[in-house]
Amino acid sequence: MQCTIYAQGELDKKRFVEKGQVLVLARWEDGLILSRDEINALWTLPQGEKDRGESGEETARRALGSAIGEAVFDVSPLCDFTVTDEAGKESGGCAYLADVREWPAREGAKARAFVRMPLGSQTAQAALVFGLHRWAGVFFDERLDLEQLGSPSSR
């Protein structure tokens, strides 16, 4: 899998690329929120497909709300991205940043905030997650460092 990051709006210029996916890089305190995929038990960014007539921001809010439950958060666009699979099929979408200010339902949520990233083998679309995290830059606390990959410590 190969991922490419674009400035926001640049993906609209590419033809023949499915563009409906929305990913959310969400921060809670000093960690990145990842959701547990129910099918293969891998950690993934909260994500969703745009419904007809739905804006990217609405999709991001729905996806994050589905992952973390009741919470108060702000959402803003980050960038566009594409993913090319082994067969050469390219798909993409938009990534959003979210700053979760209140998360009262976190104990019952299917998501967790990781201070240290899980192993790449435990993360769905690891290259995309790490690429987007790198693109997000200073939005995240420096303690959430890609050099700490594979550390078993998480909360």
Side-chain angles (χ1 to χ4, degrees), residues 46-76:
Q47 58 190 293
E49 294 286 328
K50 277 195 212 177
D51 289 336
R52 177 169 278 167
E54 186 177 48
S55 72
E57 182 176 333
E58 290 168 332
T59 306
R61 289 184 171 283
R62 177 173 48 84
L64 184 55
S66 174
I68 67 175
E70 185 180 324
V72 176
F73 53 86
D74 300 313
V75 173
S76 60

PDB file of all heavy atoms in Angstrom, residues 46-76:
ATOM      1  N   PRO A  46     -10.713   6.849  13.443  1.00  0.00           N
ATOM      2  CA  PRO A  46     -12.158   6.957  13.210  1.00  0.00           C
ATOM      3  C   PRO A  46     -12.374   7.393  11.757  1.00  0.00           C
ATOM      4  O   PRO A  46     -11.684   8.288  11.258  1.00  0.00           O
ATOM      5  CB  PRO A  46     -12.595   8.045  14.188  1.00  0.00           C
ATOM      6  CG  PRO A  46     -11.578   7.988  15.281  1.00  0.00           C
ATOM      7  CD  PRO A  46     -10.285   7.652  14.583  1.00  0.00           C
ATOM      8  N   GLN A  47     -13.293   6.704  11.073  1.00  0.00           N
ATOM      9  CA  GLN A  47     -13.472   6.976   9.659  1.00  0.00           C
ATOM     10  C   GLN A  47     -14.888   6.691   9.212  1.00  0.00           C
ATOM     11  O   GLN A  47     -15.632   5.991   9.888  1.00  0.00           O
ATOM     12  CB  GLN A  47     -12.500   6.146   8.839  1.00  0.00           C
ATOM     13  CG  GLN A  47     -12.609   4.648   9.049  1.00  0.00           C
ATOM     14  CD  GLN A  47     -11.464   3.933   8.391  1.00  0.00           C
ATOM     15  OE1 GLN A  47     -11.370   3.925   7.169  1.00  0.00           O
ATOM     16  NE2 GLN A  47     -10.587   3.343   9.191  1.00  0.00           N
ATOM     17  N   GLY A  48     -15.229   7.247   8.059  1.00  0.00           N
ATOM     18  CA  GLY A  48     -16.548   7.024   7.491  1.00  0.00           C
ATOM     19  C   GLY A  48     -16.563   7.387   6.024  1.00  0.00           C
ATOM     20  O   GLY A  48     -15.650   8.020   5.509  1.00  0.00           O
ATOM     21  N   GLU A  49     -17.603   6.954   5.358  1.00  0.00           N
ATOM     22  CA  GLU A  49     -17.833   7.304   3.959  1.00  0.00           C
ATOM     23  C   GLU A  49     -18.895   8.389   3.927  1.00  0.00           C
ATOM     24  O   GLU A  49     -19.878   8.328   4.660  1.00  0.00           O
ATOM     25  CB  GLU A  49     -18.330   6.089   3.174  1.00  0.00           C
ATOM     26  CG  GLU A  49     -17.312   4.972   3.052  1.00  0.00           C
ATOM     27  CD  GLU A  49     -16.202   5.296   2.072  1.00  0.00           C
ATOM     28  OE1 GLU A  49     -16.474   6.014   1.087  1.00  0.00           O
ATOM     29  OE2 GLU A  49     -15.072   4.841   2.300  1.00  0.00           O
ATOM     30  N   LYS A  50     -18.681   9.372   3.055  1.00  0.00           N
ATOM     31  CA  LYS A  50     -19.653  10.453   2.919  1.00  0.00           C
ATOM     32  C   LYS A  50     -20.963   9.911   2.384  1.00  0.00           C
ATOM     33  O   LYS A  50     -20.991   9.156   1.423  1.00  0.00           O
ATOM     34  CB  LYS A  50     -19.154  11.508   1.929  1.00  0.00           C
ATOM     35  CG  LYS A  50     -18.227  12.509   2.496  1.00  0.00           C
ATOM     36  CD  LYS A  50     -18.129  13.660   1.499  1.00  0.00           C
ATOM     37  CE  LYS A  50     -16.794  14.304   1.514  1.00  0.00           C
ATOM     38  NZ  LYS A  50     -16.683  15.360   0.523  1.00  0.00           N
ATOM     39  N   ASP A  51     -22.058  10.294   3.035  1.00  0.00           N
ATOM     40  CA  ASP A  51     -23.382  10.001   2.529  1.00  0.00           C
ATOM     41  C   ASP A  51     -23.765  11.086   1.534  1.00  0.00           C
ATOM     42  O   ASP A  51     -23.236  12.207   1.595  1.00  0.00           O
ATOM     43  CB  ASP A  51     -24.410   9.974   3.672  1.00  0.00           C
ATOM     44  CG  ASP A  51     -24.237   8.767   4.582  1.00  0.00           C
ATOM     45  OD1 ASP A  51     -23.671   7.747   4.131  1.00  0.00           O
ATOM     46  OD2 ASP A  51     -24.672   8.851   5.745  1.00  0.00           O
ATOM     47  N   ARG A  52     -24.678  10.773   0.652  1.00  0.00           N
ATOM     48  CA  ARG A  52     -25.120  11.753  -0.343  1.00  0.00           C
ATOM     49  C   ARG A  52     -25.643  13.002   0.363  1.00  0.00           C
ATOM     50  O   ARG A  52     -26.431  12.917   1.304  1.00  0.00           O
ATOM     51  CB  ARG A  52     -26.225  11.167  -1.202  1.00  0.00           C
ATOM     52  CG  ARG A  52     -26.782  12.163  -2.207  1.00  0.00           C
ATOM     53  CD  ARG A  52     -27.668  11.524  -3.197  1.00  0.00           C
ATOM     54  NE  ARG A  52     -26.774  10.947  -4.201  1.00  0.00           N
ATOM     55  CZ  ARG A  52     -27.149  10.085  -5.117  1.00  0.00           C
ATOM     56  NH1 ARG A  52     -28.380   9.692  -5.173  1.00  0.00           N
ATOM     57  NH2 ARG A  52     -26.281   9.625  -5.987  1.00  0.00           N
ATOM     58  N   GLY A  53     -25.131  14.160  -0.055  1.00  0.00           N
ATOM     59  CA  GLY A  53     -25.560  15.434   0.512  1.00  0.00           C
ATOM     60  C   GLY A  53     -24.876  15.801   1.816  1.00  0.00           C
ATOM     61  O   GLY A  53     -25.132  16.853   2.379  1.00  0.00           O
ATOM     62  N   GLU A  54     -24.002  14.946   2.313  1.00  0.00           N
ATOM     63  CA  GLU A  54     -23.317  15.189   3.577  1.00  0.00           C
ATOM     64  C   GLU A  54     -21.974  15.852   3.297  1.00  0.00           C
ATOM     65  O   GLU A  54     -21.247  15.457   2.394  1.00  0.00           O
ATOM     66  CB  GLU A  54     -23.110  13.852   4.294  1.00  0.00           C
ATOM     67  CG  GLU A  54     -22.542  13.954   5.682  1.00  0.00           C
ATOM     68  CD  GLU A  54     -22.442  12.590   6.350  1.00  0.00           C
ATOM     69  OE1 GLU A  54     -21.938  11.641   5.737  1.00  0.00           O
ATOM     70  OE2 GLU A  54     -22.881  12.489   7.505  1.00  0.00           O
ATOM     71  N   SER A  55     -21.635  16.868   4.083  1.00  0.00           N
ATOM     72  CA  SER A  55     -20.329  17.516   3.932  1.00  0.00           C
ATOM     73  C   SER A  55     -19.257  16.647   4.580  1.00  0.00           C
ATOM     74  O   SER A  55     -19.547  15.766   5.396  1.00  0.00           O
ATOM     75  CB  SER A  55     -20.341  18.901   4.577  1.00  0.00           C
ATOM     76  OG  SER A  55     -20.359  18.783   5.983  1.00  0.00           O
ATOM     77  N   GLY A  56     -18.006  16.920   4.245  1.00  0.00           N
ATOM     78  CA  GLY A  56     -16.908  16.199   4.868  1.00  0.00           C
ATOM     79  C   GLY A  56     -16.877  16.400   6.368  1.00  0.00           C
ATOM     80  O   GLY A  56     -16.613  15.475   7.128  1.00  0.00           O
ATOM     81  N   GLU A  57     -17.154  17.629   6.819  1.00  0.00           N
ATOM     82  CA  GLU A  57     -17.161  17.893   8.251  1.00  0.00           C
ATOM     83  C   GLU A  57     -18.267  17.108   8.956  1.00  0.00           C
ATOM     84  O   GLU A  57     -18.052  16.570  10.047  1.00  0.00           O
ATOM     85  CB  GLU A  57     -17.335  19.384   8.532  1.00  0.00           C
ATOM     86  CG  GLU A  57     -17.287  19.690  10.015  1.00  0.00           C
ATOM     87  CD  GLU A  57     -17.368  21.171  10.337  1.00  0.00           C
ATOM     88  OE1 GLU A  57     -16.964  21.997   9.496  1.00  0.00           O
ATOM     89  OE2 GLU A  57     -17.833  21.482  11.435  1.00  0.00           O
ATOM     90  N   GLU A  58     -19.435  17.008   8.338  1.00  0.00           N
ATOM     91  CA  GLU A  58     -20.522  16.228   8.940  1.00  0.00           C
ATOM     92  C   GLU A  58     -20.138  14.758   9.037  1.00  0.00           C
ATOM     93  O   GLU A  58     -20.397  14.103  10.045  1.00  0.00           O
ATOM     94  CB  GLU A  58     -21.804  16.392   8.112  1.00  0.00           C
ATOM     95  CG  GLU A  58     -22.412  17.777   8.217  1.00  0.00           C
ATOM     96  CD  GLU A  58     -23.507  18.019   7.189  1.00  0.00           C
ATOM     97  OE1 GLU A  58     -23.468  17.407   6.094  1.00  0.00           O
ATOM     98  OE2 GLU A  58     -24.400  18.830   7.487  1.00  0.00           O
ATOM     99  N   THR A  59     -19.477  14.248   7.993  1.00  0.00           N
ATOM    100  CA  THR A  59     -19.016  12.860   8.017  1.00  0.00           C
ATOM    101  C   THR A  59     -17.974  12.660   9.109  1.00  0.00           C
ATOM    102  O   THR A  59     -18.008  11.665   9.840  1.00  0.00           O
ATOM    103  CB  THR A  59     -18.426  12.458   6.653  1.00  0.00           C
ATOM    104  OG1 THR A  59     -19.380  12.724   5.635  1.00  0.00           O
ATOM    105  CG2 THR A  59     -18.040  10.993   6.622  1.00  0.00           C
ATOM    106  N   ALA A  60     -17.043  13.601   9.246  1.00  0.00           N
ATOM    107  CA  ALA A  60     -16.014  13.511  10.289  1.00  0.00           C
ATOM    108  C   ALA A  60     -16.658  13.509  11.678  1.00  0.00           C
ATOM    109  O   ALA A  60     -16.261  12.719  12.540  1.00  0.00           O
ATOM    110  CB  ALA A  60     -15.032  14.666  10.157  1.00  0.00           C
ATOM    111  N   ARG A  61     -17.633  14.369  11.897  1.00  0.00           N
ATOM    112  CA  ARG A  61     -18.317  14.411  13.193  1.00  0.00           C
ATOM    113  C   ARG A  61     -19.053  13.100  13.467  1.00  0.00           C
ATOM    114  O   ARG A  61     -19.001  12.566  14.576  1.00  0.00           O
ATOM    115  CB  ARG A  61     -19.280  15.586  13.252  1.00  0.00           C
ATOM    116  CG  ARG A  61     -18.566  16.920  13.334  1.00  0.00           C
ATOM    117  CD  ARG A  61     -19.568  18.079  13.484  1.00  0.00           C
ATOM    118  NE  ARG A  61     -18.845  19.281  13.759  1.00  0.00           N
ATOM    119  CZ  ARG A  61     -18.309  19.595  14.947  1.00  0.00           C
ATOM    120  NH1 ARG A  61     -18.450  18.780  15.959  1.00  0.00           N
ATOM    121  NH2 ARG A  61     -17.638  20.718  15.107  1.00  0.00           N
ATOM    122  N   ARG A  62     -19.713  12.563  12.460  1.00  0.00           N
ATOM    123  CA  ARG A  62     -20.440  11.301  12.616  1.00  0.00           C
ATOM    124  C   ARG A  62     -19.466  10.158  12.915  1.00  0.00           C
ATOM    125  O   ARG A  62     -19.696   9.340  13.812  1.00  0.00           O
ATOM    126  CB  ARG A  62     -21.248  11.012  11.344  1.00  0.00           C
ATOM    127  CG  ARG A  62     -21.976   9.685  11.372  1.00  0.00           C
ATOM    128  CD  ARG A  62     -22.905   9.501  10.182  1.00  0.00           C
ATOM    129  NE  ARG A  62     -22.341   9.801   8.887  1.00  0.00           N
ATOM    130  CZ  ARG A  62     -21.606   8.946   8.155  1.00  0.00           C
ATOM    131  NH1 ARG A  62     -21.319   7.745   8.628  1.00  0.00           N
ATOM    132  NH2 ARG A  62     -21.169   9.296   6.957  1.00  0.00           N
ATOM    133  N   ALA A  63     -18.350  10.101  12.167  1.00  0.00           N
ATOM    134  CA  ALA A  63     -17.373   9.024  12.354  1.00  0.00           C
ATOM    135  C   ALA A  63     -16.742   9.073  13.737  1.00  0.00           C
ATOM    136  O   ALA A  63     -16.618   8.045  14.414  1.00  0.00           O
ATOM    137  CB  ALA A  63     -16.298   9.106  11.278  1.00  0.00           C
ATOM    138  N   LEU A  64     -16.346  10.263  14.175  1.00  0.00           N
ATOM    139  CA  LEU A  64     -15.732  10.380  15.494  1.00  0.00           C
ATOM    140  C   LEU A  64     -16.753  10.093  16.591  1.00  0.00           C
ATOM    141  O   LEU A  64     -16.452   9.382  17.555  1.00  0.00           O
ATOM    142  CB  LEU A  64     -15.111  11.769  15.684  1.00  0.00           C
ATOM    143  CG  LEU A  64     -14.353  11.979  16.988  1.00  0.00           C
ATOM    144  CD1 LEU A  64     -13.264  10.932  17.193  1.00  0.00           C
ATOM    145  CD2 LEU A  64     -13.757  13.382  17.031  1.00  0.00           C
ATOM    146  N   GLY A  65     -17.966  10.603  16.432  1.00  0.00           N
ATOM    147  CA  GLY A  65     -19.015  10.325  17.417  1.00  0.00           C
ATOM    148  C   GLY A  65     -19.317   8.850  17.532  1.00  0.00           C
ATOM    149  O   GLY A  65     -19.540   8.330  18.626  1.00  0.00           O
ATOM    150  N   SER A  66     -19.303   8.139  16.408  1.00  0.00           N
ATOM    151  CA  SER A  66     -19.542   6.702  16.419  1.00  0.00           C
ATOM    152  C   SER A  66     -18.435   5.961  17.171  1.00  0.00           C
ATOM    153  O   SER A  66     -18.691   4.987  17.867  1.00  0.00           O
ATOM    154  CB  SER A  66     -19.629   6.199  14.985  1.00  0.00           C
ATOM    155  OG  SER A  66     -19.712   4.806  14.944  1.00  0.00           O
ATOM    156  N   ALA A  67     -17.203   6.441  17.035  1.00  0.00           N
ATOM    157  CA  ALA A  67     -16.065   5.777  17.681  1.00  0.00           C
ATOM    158  C   ALA A  67     -15.981   6.077  19.169  1.00  0.00           C
ATOM    159  O   ALA A  67     -15.661   5.195  19.964  1.00  0.00           O
ATOM    160  CB  ALA A  67     -14.763   6.187  17.000  1.00  0.00           C
ATOM    161  N   ILE A  68     -16.227   7.308  19.555  1.00  0.00           N
ATOM    162  CA  ILE A  68     -15.983   7.684  20.954  1.00  0.00           C
ATOM    163  C   ILE A  68     -17.249   7.905  21.772  1.00  0.00           C
ATOM    164  O   ILE A  68     -17.175   8.088  22.975  1.00  0.00           O
ATOM    165  CB  ILE A  68     -15.066   8.924  21.064  1.00  0.00           C
ATOM    166  CG1 ILE A  68     -15.740  10.183  20.529  1.00  0.00           C
ATOM    167  CG2 ILE A  68     -13.740   8.671  20.377  1.00  0.00           C
ATOM    168  CD1 ILE A  68     -14.922  11.457  20.717  1.00  0.00           C
ATOM    169  N   GLY A  69     -18.392   7.911  21.138  1.00  0.00           N
ATOM    170  CA  GLY A  69     -19.636   8.113  21.882  1.00  0.00           C
ATOM    171  C   GLY A  69     -19.833   9.577  22.228  1.00  0.00           C
ATOM    172  O   GLY A  69     -19.366  10.471  21.522  1.00  0.00           O
ATOM    173  N   GLU A  70     -20.489   9.804  23.325  1.00  0.00           N
ATOM    174  CA  GLU A  70     -20.797  11.174  23.748  1.00  0.00           C
ATOM    175  C   GLU A  70     -19.508  11.923  24.084  1.00  0.00           C
ATOM    176  O   GLU A  70     -18.708  11.473  24.894  1.00  0.00           O
ATOM    177  CB  GLU A  70     -21.696  11.142  24.973  1.00  0.00           C
ATOM    178  CG  GLU A  70     -22.169  12.500  25.405  1.00  0.00           C
ATOM    179  CD  GLU A  70     -23.071  12.415  26.628  1.00  0.00           C
ATOM    180  OE1 GLU A  70     -23.833  11.456  26.744  1.00  0.00           O
ATOM    181  OE2 GLU A  70     -22.974  13.320  27.468  1.00  0.00           O
ATOM    182  N   ALA A  71     -19.318  13.062  23.421  1.00  0.00           N
ATOM    183  CA  ALA A  71     -18.108  13.857  23.641  1.00  0.00           C
ATOM    184  C   ALA A  71     -18.312  15.254  23.070  1.00  0.00           C
ATOM    185  O   ALA A  71     -19.205  15.482  22.263  1.00  0.00           O
ATOM    186  CB  ALA A  71     -16.902  13.203  22.976  1.00  0.00           C
ATOM    187  N   VAL A  72     -17.465  16.167  23.505  1.00  0.00           N
ATOM    188  CA  VAL A  72     -17.454  17.521  22.964  1.00  0.00           C
ATOM    189  C   VAL A  72     -16.131  17.693  22.240  1.00  0.00           C
ATOM    190  O   VAL A  72     -15.063  17.480  22.826  1.00  0.00           O
ATOM    191  CB  VAL A  72     -17.592  18.579  24.092  1.00  0.00           C
ATOM    192  CG1 VAL A  72     -17.491  19.979  23.535  1.00  0.00           C
ATOM    193  CG2 VAL A  72     -18.893  18.380  24.851  1.00  0.00           C
ATOM    194  N   PHE A  73     -16.198  18.056  20.950  1.00  0.00           N
ATOM    195  CA  PHE A  73     -14.967  18.187  20.173  1.00  0.00           C
ATOM    196  C   PHE A  73     -15.147  19.199  19.052  1.00  0.00           C
ATOM    197  O   PHE A  73     -16.257  19.510  18.644  1.00  0.00           O
ATOM    198  CB  PHE A  73     -14.529  16.842  19.597  1.00  0.00           C
ATOM    199  CG  PHE A  73     -15.585  16.117  18.803  1.00  0.00           C
ATOM    200  CD1 PHE A  73     -15.767  16.381  17.454  1.00  0.00           C
ATOM    201  CD2 PHE A  73     -16.394  15.170  19.415  1.00  0.00           C
ATOM    202  CE1 PHE A  73     -16.727  15.709  16.715  1.00  0.00           C
ATOM    203  CE2 PHE A  73     -17.367  14.489  18.692  1.00  0.00           C
ATOM    204  CZ  PHE A  73     -17.536  14.759  17.338  1.00  0.00           C
ATOM    205  N   ASP A  74     -14.017  19.726  18.598  1.00  0.00           N
ATOM    206  CA  ASP A  74     -13.962  20.622  17.453  1.00  0.00           C
ATOM    207  C   ASP A  74     -13.342  19.850  16.298  1.00  0.00           C
ATOM    208  O   ASP A  74     -12.437  19.040  16.502  1.00  0.00           O
ATOM    209  CB  ASP A  74     -13.093  21.846  17.750  1.00  0.00           C
ATOM    210  CG  ASP A  74     -13.630  22.654  18.923  1.00  0.00           C
ATOM    211  OD1 ASP A  74     -14.842  22.925  18.940  1.00  0.00           O
ATOM    212  OD2 ASP A  74     -12.841  23.002  19.821  1.00  0.00           O
ATOM    213  N   VAL A  75     -13.811  20.112  15.082  1.00  0.00           N
ATOM    214  CA  VAL A  75     -13.311  19.427  13.892  1.00  0.00           C
ATOM    215  C   VAL A  75     -12.914  20.472  12.856  1.00  0.00           C
ATOM    216  O   VAL A  75     -13.631  21.446  12.653  1.00  0.00           O
ATOM    217  CB  VAL A  75     -14.397  18.497  13.301  1.00  0.00           C
ATOM    218  CG1 VAL A  75     -13.955  17.916  11.974  1.00  0.00           C
ATOM    219  CG2 VAL A  75     -14.743  17.393  14.265  1.00  0.00           C
ATOM    220  N   SER A  76     -11.755  20.255  12.215  1.00  0.00           N
ATOM    221  CA  SER A  76     -11.331  21.137  11.126  1.00  0.00           C
ATOM    222  C   SER A  76     -10.596  20.304  10.079  1.00  0.00           C
ATOM    223  O   SER A  76      -9.966  19.295  10.397  1.00  0.00           O
ATOM    224  CB  SER A  76     -10.432  22.258  11.651  1.00  0.00           C
ATOM    225  OG  SER A  76      -9.290  21.720  12.252  1.00  0.00           O
TER     226      SER A  76
END
